[in-house]
Amino acid sequence: MDEKNLPREFIELLNSVTARRPKTVIDHILQHGFVTTEELRDLYGYNHPPRGARDVRELGIPLETFRVTGSDGRSIGAYRFGDPTAQRSAMLSGRTAFSNTIKNGLIARFGSRCNIYLEDFPERELQIDHRVPFEIAGDTGLSDDLDDYMLLCPSANRAKSWSCEHCDNWEIRDANNCESCYWAFPESYTHVAMRQLRRLDIIWSGEEISEYDRLAEAADDDGQELPEFVKAVIRRHLEAHE
């Protein structure tokens, strides 16, 4: 893509990017007009290429997704710059203050806790998360409605990111699928990343860690993996109270 055909403000935004992953995507598109998921994987070593595109979009730089034929003849994804007038740099540059407002509102409503682990965390450790990922919701996900967000601890946020990026809906991009998913609404869901599963995330902290250690030792003595052992303990408890 010839820089001469791009608005000066858009070029300035592109040149302001220094982080390696989004800069790699931007530089390739500037040189070749677009970049494919195959190129991101094979040339630049991205195990999950859409994540590189996401990093660019989160900087306010519009990308279009389209399909091309890969080296093996299959249809694969590719990215090119979208309408330069659609850049959201101004919106995103003010996102810190916007996020503080949202974060304070969420803490006031739910307390200083992670919505996945349901445990209290210091406010500084909690991160604002779009219930429906921005990559799926698009611009409709940028709102000031508290119902569109939740607070997650770093561990839960990483777990959600990994699961979302490996979900079939990452390519389908149907927000309705997200709205019934555990990772968006753990309080009320019908599936986990498009799989018919039920999930319970438990954290042991402080004095409770000794209880976790006892469970781990008992599981080892019983020759079971810890999750299966915990399920068995719960199952026996339920059967005893039928």
Side-chain angles (χ1 to χ4, degrees):
M1 177 172 288
D2 193 340
E3 291 190 21
K4 293 184 296 184
N5 298 325
L6 296 172
R8 178 178 57 82
E9 295 81 2
F10 191 68
I11 292 297
E12 290 177 353
L13 177 59
L14 298 180
N15 290 336
S16 70
V17 176
T18 58
R20 183 179 66 85
R21 186 158 57 194
K23 182 172 174 56
T24 296
V25 177
I26 290 168
D27 289 348
H28 190 102
I29 295 175
L30 283 173
Q31 183 175 355
H32 302 283
F34 64 90
V35 63
T36 69
T37 54
E38 185 177 66
E39 289 169 330
L40 287 172
R41 184 191 67 232
D42 296 344
L43 294 180
Y44 303 113
Y46 295 129
N47 292 327
H48 192 66
R51 191 165 189 172
R54 181 190 69 179
D55 290 342
V56 174
R57 289 184 174 119
E58 287 188 345
L59 293 171
I61 299 169
L63 287 183
E64 294 178 351
T65 303
F66 62 105
R67 310 296 292 184
V68 298
T69 301
S71 61
D72 60 358
R74 294 188 305 169
S75 176
I76 61 173
Y79 308 101
R80 61 192 170 205
F81 294 133
D83 181 0
T85 63
Q87 71 183 67
R88 302 187 313 281
S89 57
M91 181 184 297
L92 292 180
S93 67
R95 200 169 176 184
T96 299
F98 174 75
S99 294
N100 287 337
T101 300
I102 293 295
K103 186 171 187 178
N104 291 337
L106 290 170
I107 290 173
R109 179 182 291 186
F110 300 110
S112 183
R113 73 170 190 168
C114 171
N115 272 53
I116 294 293
Y117 293 152
L118 302 180
E119 291 281 341
D120 291 337
F121 285 83
E123 291 183 12
R124 67 180 182 278
E125 294 183 15
L126 291 170
Q127 302 168 351
I128 298 171
D129 177 70
H130 286 83
R131 286 183 181 268
V132 177
F134 179 79
E135 293 79 7
I136 306 298
D139 288 337
T140 59
L142 291 172
S143 75
D144 57 1
D145 187 344
L146 291 181
D147 292 336
D148 292 336
Y149 302 91
M150 60 182 171
L151 293 173
L152 298 181
C153 68
S155 175
N157 209 349
R158 287 191 297 271
K160 176 179 177 177
S161 293
W162 189 94
S163 185
C164 290
E165 291 168 8
H166 290 79
C167 174
D168 290 342
N169 198 46
W170 204 251
E171 294 295 332
I172 299 170
R173 296 186 182 279
D174 184 345
N176 291 323
N177 290 330
C178 294
E179 289 171 359
S180 56
C181 178
Y182 168 84
W183 291 111
F185 292 93
E187 60 272 24
S188 177
Y189 66 96
T190 61
H191 64 91
V192 181
M194 305 286 285
R195 300 175 63 193
Q196 292 305 310
L197 304 172
R198 294 298 181 266
R199 179 175 179 131
L200 179 63
D201 292 274
I202 305 174
I203 287 180
W204 285 264
S205 62
E207 296 180 355
E208 297 172 339
I209 291 176
S210 62
E211 298 172 0
Y212 174 88
D213 292 339
R214 289 174 59 193
L215 277 172
E217 290 175 6
D220 188 58
D221 291 341
D222 206 47
Q224 296 190 64
E225 295 293 334
L226 183 55
E228 290 303 319
F229 180 78
V230 171
K231 284 184 186 179
V233 170
I234 294 173
R235 191 178 303 116
R236 289 195 295 269
H237 176 81
L238 291 174
E239 291 171 352
H241 289 79
E242 286 182 349

